[in-house]
Amino acid sequence: MNIMDVASSLGLVDPTGTVVGTIDQQKVLGTLVELAEKDPAHTDLYAETAGHVRSARSAGMETHDAKSFQARPGAEATTQLRYRSEMADLFMDLAIDVGLRLQDQKLMATA
């Protein structure tokens, strides 16, 4: 599992390096939950990143009309948006933290 591949699938990493616009906070948090379930050894890092997502600068709220095609039954009437560039930075930091931890584990195993 490559964290940056996951970030790319969310639209947080662009091959050209340009990341603009906003993203639904719940989409990012849901992805972090999935990563934690697949990689329980680093659950604390995913939880810490989720905290950073929640406290990140707001990019606004999007309100959905109940009759809109975007409204799903039982879905929230509003969506908290976050800036894609900030979420991309968080995923980059997460990838670095996980990589450093794995490197430390390898060094300790060979010592």
Side-chain angles (χ1 to χ4, degrees):
M1 172 213 41
N2 182 323
I3 293 170
M4 296 315 293
D5 288 343
V6 172
S8 180
S9 71
L10 272 173
L12 299 178
V13 178
D14 184 289
T16 66
T18 305
V19 182
V20 295
T22 60
I23 189 166
D24 179 349
Q25 172 183 284
Q26 285 307 114
K27 187 174 181 179
V28 176
L29 292 173
T31 299
L32 289 168
V33 167
E34 289 175 19
L35 285 169
E37 289 171 353
K38 292 177 183 174
D39 187 17
H42 306 294
T43 300
D44 60 317
L45 295 176
Y46 300 120
E48 183 179 337
T49 301
H52 291 299
V53 168
R54 287 185 195 93
S55 65
R57 188 168 53 120
S58 174
M61 297 287 285
E62 188 175 78
T63 304
H64 308 285
D65 181 4
K67 296 176 185 174
S68 168
F69 71 91
Q70 292 177 327
R72 296 179 309 265
E76 296 278 332
T78 59
T79 301
Q80 172 62 60
L81 300 173
R82 299 294 182 198
Y83 291 101
R84 282 184 190 275
S85 60
E86 291 180 18
M87 298 301 101
D89 288 346
L90 289 175
F91 269 75
M92 179 64 77
D93 290 346
L94 175 62
I96 291 169
D97 290 344
V98 170
L100 288 172
R101 183 177 283 177
L102 291 172
Q103 182 64 28
D104 286 346
Q105 290 171 350
K106 285 180 186 176
L107 290 174
M108 289 178 68
T110 60

